[in-house]
Amino acid sequence: MQLLIYITNHEDTIRPIMEKIAANGIKGATVVDCEGMLKSLNEDSVDAPAIFGGLRQFVNPGQAKNKMMFILLKDEQIQTVVDAIHGVAGSLQKPNTGIVFTVPVTRWEVTKA
């Protein structure tokens, strides 16, 4: 089992991705709001560290929060979800598109409905 995490500032990609993975029989994704380091430091500090201060002009204060999707998957399901992400969001090699990664899970417990 692996925990797949997808983070994006393109909120509009989340629902179509979840629809695609649900169509493939994969359930149980959780989506939460999140924010990146630059935005957090920019909002929480009058005097952001020098490296971030010069980047303030690039931070869009009106931008919605980023979205983070968590989903616990069997190893053989990972490529299906990654393909769905690429199919909706495009290549993550392009700037400002998002990040996806997996983390091995050695123990889990699930409540059966």
Side-chain angles (χ1 to χ4, degrees), residues 37-38 41-42 47-59:
M37 183 176 178
L38 176 60
L41 287 174
N42 186 46
D47 297 316
I51 190 167
F52 296 109
L55 297 174
R56 282 182 194 244
Q57 62 186 338
F58 299 109
V59 176

Side-chain angles (χ1 to χ4, degrees), residues 18-31:
M18 290 195 306
E19 289 171 349
K20 281 186 174 227
I21 63 176
N24 282 291
I26 299 171
K27 303 175 195 166
T30 298
V31 178

